[in-house]
Amino acid sequence: MHTIVHMMRHGEVYNPDGILYGRLPGFHLSATGRGQAEQVGRALADHDITAVFASPLQRAQETATPIAGAHDLPIITNEELIEADNVFEGLRVSVGDGALRKPRHWPKLRDPFTPSWGEPYIQLAHRMLAAANKARDAARGHEAVCVSHQLPVYTLRRFLEGQRLWHDPRRRQCSLASLTSLIYDDDALVDIIYSEPAGASDPLATGA
């Protein structure tokens, strides 16, 4: 039985202060982000989508809305799709300014492999895999969409491809509103296809 689970990153977020907003409430899509969500909704309009899941965070729910609407489906909220936990949440963390310039924060950077500043990569991979499996089971023989966040989606992909989970965030292939599509024959994952229906974006953009 052929099933596709599209792991989707949300669209651009309105974030004029350039902070790492993580799981903080109140961060919604920008006008560009809404356009990206609608563009992906149009790209998937002719697909056989029978289930739409989303992270509980507002930006993911808003991204899922055009897709669910196009297929007359409810959005199923799944906590397993939420953004990765991060101790720098609410701070500016771009290179050269903000929290990373302050010595009191440096001990939090001691271990880039786990990592020491947030949710362990392996834990993140396992919960995202559980979310993907639930979506596959809900849409057997059809397609499902799971709207999540950059690091969770990219970590899942690296895990499934057998790559090491720690990585350079500047090289993440997971643009805003992109699709990392998992192709299954029955329960077996047979392919992973990456696409950018809304175009490419900088992996370090503050609207991520």
Side-chain angles (χ1 to χ4, degrees), residues 74 88 119 173 208:
F88 293 108
E119 183 176 4
Q173 189 184 45

Side-chain angles (χ1 to χ4, degrees), residues 46-130:
D46 294 332
H47 285 240
D48 184 22
I49 293 170
T50 59
V52 177
F53 297 83
S55 155
L57 297 176
Q58 183 177 350
R59 57 193 184 272
Q61 295 280 323
E62 291 178 353
T63 300
T65 297
I67 300 168
H71 296 273
D72 195 26
L73 294 169
I75 297 172
I76 304 169
T77 300
N78 186 345
E79 294 281 347
E80 292 167 329
L81 295 169
I82 200 168
E83 178 64 282
D85 192 24
N86 194 303
V87 298
F88 293 108
E89 189 176 273
L91 304 175
R92 290 178 58 89
V93 294
S94 57
V95 176
D97 71 354
L100 301 187
R101 295 184 61 185
K102 299 176 181 178
R104 72 174 182 272
H105 292 302
W106 294 349
K108 300 170 186 174
L109 304 173
R110 67 188 180 278
D111 172 16
F113 308 108
T114 301
S116 54
W117 57 81
E119 183 176 4
Y121 291 130
I122 191 63
Q123 177 180 308
L124 180 53
H126 285 172
R127 69 169 167 86
M128 287 294 290
L129 180 59

Side-chain angles (χ1 to χ4, degrees), residues 1-7 48-54 73-78 80-81 129-146 182 184 186-187:
M1 186 175 294
H2 191 69
T3 307
I4 302 175
V5 177
H6 303 284
M7 306 302 292
D48 184 22
I49 293 170
T50 59
V52 177
F53 297 83
L73 294 169
I75 297 172
I76 304 169
T77 300
N78 186 345
E80 292 167 329
L81 295 169
L129 180 59
N133 288 343
K134 287 178 182 177
R136 179 200 62 205
D137 292 344
R140 284 192 179 274
H142 307 278
E143 300 178 41
V145 176
C146 295
L182 311 181
Y184 295 91
D186 292 327
D187 290 346

